[in-house]
Amino acid sequence: MLRASGLVAGYERGKRVLDGVNVDLPRGGVRGLAGPSGCGKSTLARVLALLQRPWAGTVELDGSPIRGFRHAASRRQRTAVGVVFQQPRPAVDPRMPLRRVLEEPLRASGERGVPERVAELTELTGLDGELLGRFPHEVSDGQLQRACLARAIALRPRYLICDEMTGMLDASTTAALVRVVDEQVRVEGTGVLAISHDESLLHAWAGDDVIRL
Ligand SMILES: Nc1ncnc2c1ncn2[C@@H]1O[C@H](COP(=O)(O)OP(=O)(O)OP(=O)(O)O)[C@@H](O)[C@H]1O
């Protein structure tokens, strides 16, 4: 379980974006998180992905409290939670060809069989292998988002936060990426938090398991 309790977070002193938020994310399923624009969904995503330190409250990963966020989190804890954001372009280094985008987490964690895993991820996410040599500006948003999803699942995270992951994509790419994530739930037992302001998408994806912020 990835569990946040009593989260308080924000950016400017005295302005709370999250004010006492509680979220539980079990393994092996998709839970939806809905809420209007600006209510703090992305802020919550960043805290749960250990990328932002909350002002107060706790995050627990499989029963262990998180003590450090960002670089202060242990590699084991950081790699346990994957995240995909709405916009793929700011999420990648423009100087890296897609192959390196996929390789980076694998190399940083000292994984063996990197080329084989990259080939597997390419296949899994429906990313055309010929695109691996291209730079981000040479591919479409949908193709780049496939690469970002491949990178996010490269280390088989126990939890995956999809923050408006398909917000910029057409219906067929949306359906394809949702299928990839569902497959992770089935095969790896991943616990997924699907965040969107689009309640019908969440309902189609997570059924009645949708919480509201
Ligand atoms: N880096 C930042 N610095 C200052 N304020 C920020 C920053 N990021 C977000 N905010 C503010 O925090 C509030 C919540 O933003 P957040 O992006 O978490 O909401 P959201 O629910 O994800 O919105 P959306 O659905 O529009 O993406 C907003 O008022 C926003 O302006």
Side-chain angles (χ1 to χ4, degrees):
M1 184 85 84
L2 178 60
R3 167 172 286 166
S5 312
L7 283 188
V8 179
Y11 302 89
E12 293 162 45
R13 213 188 167 87
K15 265 199 190 168
R16 295 177 169 201
V17 171
L18 304 179
D19 193 4
V21 170
N22 303 306
V23 183
D24 279 350
L25 185 61
R27 296 248 309 144
V30 180
R31 177 158 285 176
L33 177 81
S37 182
C39 72
K41 301 184 297 298
S42 295
T43 304
L44 177 60
R46 281 195 294 272
V47 173
L48 289 175
L50 315 187
L51 298 172
Q52 180 172 335
R53 168 177 282 285
W55 290 346
T58 56
V59 179
E60 245 180 48
L61 181 63
D62 299 326
S64 305
I66 300 294
R67 302 196 193 285
F69 287 77
R70 297 169 57 88
H71 301 299
S74 70
R75 171 168 294 279
R76 198 179 56 75
Q77 288 178 329
R78 262 186 288 140
T79 56
V81 188
V83 63
V84 185
F85 293 106
Q86 176 172 9
Q87 295 193 12
R89 276 176 213 285
V92 296
D93 183 336
R95 296 162 304 181
M96 275 191 191
L98 300 199
R99 182 185 307 283
R100 274 193 58 204
V101 171
L102 269 60
E103 283 175 353
E104 224 195 4
L106 298 164
R107 294 208 187 284
S109 288
E111 292 286 307
R112 278 189 239 157
V114 171
E116 292 77 11
R117 181 66 177 148
V118 168
E120 207 173 277
L121 289 164
T122 307
E123 163 106 40
L124 205 63
T125 54
L127 184 66
D128 182 346
E130 295 198 349
L131 300 178
L132 288 175
R134 293 205 196 166
F135 288 89
H137 72 273
E138 297 172 322
V139 301
S140 71
D141 283 334
Q143 289 163 339
L144 196 55
Q145 193 65 309
R146 285 181 198 262
C148 286
L149 177 57
R151 175 180 64 180
I153 62 175
L155 294 168
R156 299 182 175 85
R158 296 174 60 75
Y159 303 92
L160 181 64
I161 319 284
C162 301
D163 182 8
E164 302 271 9
M165 175 181 75
T166 60
M168 295 179 70
L169 309 178
D170 62 27
S172 80
T173 312
T174 295
L177 293 197
V178 166
R179 272 199 304 274
V180 173
V181 173
D182 285 344
E183 189 68 1
Q184 292 300 296
V185 174
R186 199 178 61 77
V187 175
E188 308 284 351
T190 316
V192 173
L193 188 66
I195 302 181
S196 181
H197 62 272
D198 180 347
E199 295 232 11
S200 62
L201 172 93
L202 287 184
H203 186 67
W205 196 0
D208 290 334
D209 192 357
V210 177
I211 49 182
R212 278 169 192 79
L213 195 60

